[in-house]
Amino acid sequence: MSIGRNFDEIYRALIALQTADAFDIACPADWRPGDDVIVPTAGSCGVAKERMDDTENLDCKDWFFCTKKLDKDLVLNTVLKK
């Protein structure tokens, strides 16, 4: 009771945690539904090459760091079970 609470941040963090679990991804700092998400690192050289070649679905900065778009409505419908 002696500290303030930012309920918007608590809600954002809970949605991010549930999204990461539901879609097997990671959410960057200050992530909100509709923002890009981080794809887990490739487990092999072959998968890394496939990711680097998949410019339609993934935005790869390097072989180990790729992001992708995740639709806001899909996230909210999945996480909030609308």
Side-chain angles (χ1 to χ4, degrees):
M1 299 298 293
S2 62
I3 61 170
R5 290 157 190 85
N6 180 337
F7 285 101
D8 183 51
E9 176 60 14
I10 293 169
Y11 180 75
R12 185 204 68 79
L14 286 172
I15 296 295
L17 287 167
Q18 290 175 329
T19 300
D21 185 54
F23 293 96
D24 195 28
I25 49 86
C27 298
D30 300 322
W31 175 88
R32 300 267 178 193
D35 293 349
D36 288 358
V37 295
I38 301 169
V39 179
T41 305
S44 69
C45 293
V47 172
K49 180 171 179 5
E50 288 174 13
R51 287 183 178 186
M52 293 296 291
D53 293 340
D54 185 9
T55 57
E56 268 189 47
N57 299 313
L58 298 175
D59 179 23
C60 293
K61 308 299 184 208
D62 206 339
W63 66 269
F64 59 88
F65 185 75
C66 297
T67 61
K68 70 177 181 179
K69 299 205 177 300
L70 197 54
D71 183 63
K72 179 180 180 176
D73 292 332
L74 175 64
V75 168
L76 293 177
N77 288 336
T78 302
V79 171
L80 299 177
K81 310 261 192 277
K82 287 186 176 181

